[in-house]
């Protein structure tokens, strides 16, 4: 590939952006989204349990209990919410915590729901307190309380809603108020995916994208996808761009590895931000402990980006540990950069 082509292909993507997606990515993501429970790869305990809940509820002709989905971004929470609606044979209305600014915004949405419909609220931990409290009676007894008039004429009017199912998604259950958490009957935590599961997702996505790819190449992408289907699909799309420009008919291991190297995803699957964060911990903070705020400030990143996206994978992959005094780099992190590890792990 010429330097010019390389620059065009990878411009702006030197660090595979984990948070923002381009418009094309969003559209493609929708087409790659699984629609049925049987198409949802991995998370077997969750899908098995969900199948039983859905079958039983449908037999009783009742709406499904409220469902709370938690886990890092890109693991399939939104996909599962859509799948639930599909399997229940109901409509889904999707919104997000920050989009509902006032209780009034929610009234319109709630009163438009039919019996058994799904209301999906992404980032539910970011609902304002007022909106959250407004949701409680809606979730519990399908009622909302309106206050009309002001001062001495103020009156509360109860309005009956049709029984619906709230599916909430959050990257951090810890930030959810206890009374809200308690109103969910079904709770699932999504974990990072196995390489073999990601390889299946990649092969399936390649088919939808009209791409030919061999098993070894799919596994290589899976190994470097941070255990995350969204990242796997994004890497696949970049490899598709490369293959198209280079007129390569079938992606093999060599093509996949070369493109991933050019995207600066290393053999362990860490990207530039991961490496920057780890190096900072090792070099500027002597391996830690370091607080998330200092890390975010030094990296010039939002605290939320670190705690929602960067940290969970580095923890899971064993590069860092969380201690009461902050995050510390493990021996694996030192080894990754070929730096001598001189600490005693037991201390942490
Ligand atoms: P989240 O809501 O947790 O951020 P999404 O549901 O938006 O994640 O998933 C991101 C993308 O990853 C989806 O568009 C879909 O293509 C893919 N994906 C996620 N989970 C799975 C899965 N279990 N099987 C197949 N594809 C998946």
């Amino acid at each position: 590939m010429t330097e010019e082509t390389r620059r065009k292909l990878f411009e702006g993507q030197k660090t595979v952006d984990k948070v923002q997606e381009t418009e094309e990515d969003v559209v493609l993501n929708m087409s790659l989204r699984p629609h049925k429970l049987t198409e949802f790869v991995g998370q077997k305990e969750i899908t098995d349990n969900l199948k039983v809940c859905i079958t039983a509820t449908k037999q009783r002709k009742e709406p499904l209990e409220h469902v709370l989905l938690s886990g890092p971004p890109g693991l399939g929470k939104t996909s599962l919410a859509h799948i639930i609606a599909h399997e229940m044979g109901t409509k889904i209305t999707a919104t997000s915590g920050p989009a509902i600014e006032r209780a009034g915004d929610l009234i319109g949405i709630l009163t438009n729901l039919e019996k058994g419909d799904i209301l999906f609220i992404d980032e539910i931990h970011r609902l304002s307190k007022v909106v959250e409290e407004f949701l409680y009676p809606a979730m519990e007894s399908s009622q909302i309380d309106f206050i009309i008039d002001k001062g001495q004429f103020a009156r509360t009017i109860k309005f009956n809603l049709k029984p619906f199912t709230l599916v909430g998604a959050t990257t951090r259950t810890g930030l959810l108020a206890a009374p809200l958490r308690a109103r969910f009957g079904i709770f699932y935590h999504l974990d990072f995916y196995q390489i073999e599961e990601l390889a299946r997702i990649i092969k399936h996505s390649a088919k939808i994208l009209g791409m030919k790819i061999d098993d070894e190449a799919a596994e290589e992408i899976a190994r470097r996808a941070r255990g995350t289907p969204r990242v796997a699909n994004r890497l696949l799309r970049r490899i598709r761009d490369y293959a198209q420009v280079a007129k390569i008919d079938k992606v093999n291991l060599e093509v996949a590895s070369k493109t991933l190297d050019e995207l600066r995803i290393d053999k362990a699957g860490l990207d530039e931000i991961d490496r920057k964060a780890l190096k900072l911990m090792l070099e500027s903070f002597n391996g830690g402990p370091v607080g998330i705020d200092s890390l975010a400030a030094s990296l010039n990143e939002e605290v939320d980006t670190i705690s929602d996206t960067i940290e969970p994978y580095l923890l899971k992959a064993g590069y860092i540990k969380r201690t009461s005094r902050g995050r510390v780099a493990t021996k694996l992190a030192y080894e990754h950069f070929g730096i001598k590890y001189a600490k005693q792990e037991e201390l942490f």
Side-chain angles (χ1 to χ4, degrees):
M1 187 168 17
T2 64
E3 190 45 39
E4 172 68 358
T5 322
R6 203 198 84 77
R7 195 183 54 73
K8 275 199 195 135
L9 268 175
F10 300 122
E11 205 167 29
Q13 294 170 15
K14 285 187 186 133
T15 53
V16 177
D17 192 341
K18 304 183 185 94
V19 184
Q20 280 167 337
E21 301 205 57
T22 63
E23 216 168 289
E24 185 218 353
D25 282 344
V26 172
V27 173
L28 274 174
N29 234 348
M30 303 246 285
S31 67
L32 299 180
R33 188 160 271 160
H35 301 288
K36 296 187 234 159
L37 217 40
T38 48
E39 291 170 4
F40 194 84
V41 177
Q43 314 284 348
K44 193 167 173 328
E45 267 180 41
I46 295 179
T47 52
D48 282 352
N49 186 281
L50 200 51
K51 208 156 122 195
V52 175
C53 291
I54 290 177
T55 312
T57 317
K58 274 168 89 175
Q59 281 169 0
R60 292 195 299 266
K61 297 192 172 30
E62 284 172 5
L64 190 68
E65 281 190 62
H66 303 303
V67 184
L68 182 62
L69 304 170
S70 75
L75 296 194
K77 299 181 293 298
T78 308
S79 304
L80 264 184
H82 284 265
I83 288 173
I84 291 173
H86 176 87
E87 300 287 343
M88 289 294 297
T90 55
K91 250 185 14 276
I92 179 166
T93 301
T95 181
S96 75
I100 312 171
E101 283 177 18
R102 293 160 301 125
D105 300 336
L106 202 55
I107 296 175
I109 299 176
L110 289 171
T111 50
N112 272 320
L113 296 175
E114 295 297 329
K115 183 179 175 195
D117 275 359
I118 307 291
L119 171 60
F120 174 57
I121 305 185
D122 200 6
E123 298 186 80
I124 194 162
H125 59 276
R126 293 178 64 190
L127 277 179
S128 73
K129 196 99 210 97
V130 180
V131 174
E132 194 182 299
E133 282 171 10
F134 186 77
L135 252 185
Y136 294 161
M139 289 175 78
E140 215 157 62
S141 48
S142 302
Q143 274 187 344
I144 42 175
D145 299 329
F146 282 105
I147 298 178
I148 55 165
D149 271 349
K150 285 186 184 146
Q152 57 170 322
F153 302 110
R155 278 171 300 146
T156 305
I157 294 187
K158 285 203 184 306
F159 184 87
N160 288 328
L161 301 167
K162 300 190 183 112
F164 68 99
T165 300
L166 175 67
V167 178
T170 177
T171 44
R172 274 179 288 164
T173 3
L175 293 185
L176 225 59
L180 179 59
R181 220 174 331 161
R183 283 170 169 82
F184 288 96
I186 303 172
F187 177 78
Y188 300 127
H189 178 76
L190 281 78
D191 211 340
F192 290 106
Y193 288 67
Q194 306 291 325
I195 290 169
E196 162 274 312
E197 293 166 342
L198 289 172
R200 264 165 56 204
I201 294 175
I202 290 165
K203 281 189 269 182
H204 181 75
S205 299
K207 230 184 246 166
I208 298 175
L209 295 173
M211 237 179 118
K212 288 191 205 141
I213 183 165
D214 71 20
D215 290 356
E216 276 184 325
E219 252 175 53
E220 183 63 17
I221 304 169
R223 248 193 302 278
R224 302 207 212 176
R226 303 179 100 253
T228 308
R230 179 180 292 142
V231 175
N233 281 337
R234 187 184 294 145
L235 296 177
L236 183 70
R237 293 196 299 269
R238 298 294 75 86
I239 291 172
R240 178 175 81 147
D241 293 346
Y242 172 76
Q244 188 183 317
V245 171
K247 299 201 176 2
I248 291 165
D249 181 46
K250 186 170 187 178
V251 172
N252 60 16
L253 178 62
E254 194 196 335
V255 173
S257 299
K258 202 165 160 237
T259 319
L260 292 166
D261 290 345
E262 304 222 23
L263 286 167
R264 311 230 194 332
I265 316 275
D266 67 24
K267 295 273 184 272
L270 303 184
D271 64 23
E272 277 200 318
I273 306 184
D274 295 325
R275 288 194 298 274
K276 221 165 119 188
L278 284 176
K279 267 203 142 161
L280 191 80
M281 284 180 76
L282 301 182
E283 290 170 355
S284 306
F285 295 96
N286 193 26
V290 51
I292 197 129
D293 292 318
S294 322
L295 207 55
S298 308
L299 281 170
N300 203 12
E301 291 281 353
E302 296 284 329
V303 172
D304 282 357
T305 309
I306 311 257
S307 50
D308 286 356
T309 315
I310 301 175
E311 181 178 81
Y313 183 70
L314 293 180
L315 276 169
K316 170 81 182 175
Y319 291 96
I320 58 173
K321 271 192 200 164
R322 231 197 211 137
T323 71
S324 53
R325 288 181 298 144
R327 282 78 181 155
V328 291
T330 62
K331 196 166 172 222
L332 187 66
Y334 282 83
E335 284 168 0
H336 190 76
F337 295 100
I339 303 174
K340 196 167 156 13
Y341 183 73
K343 294 193 176 186
Q344 299 232 309
E345 277 205 65
E346 305 78 81
L347 281 178
F348 306 110

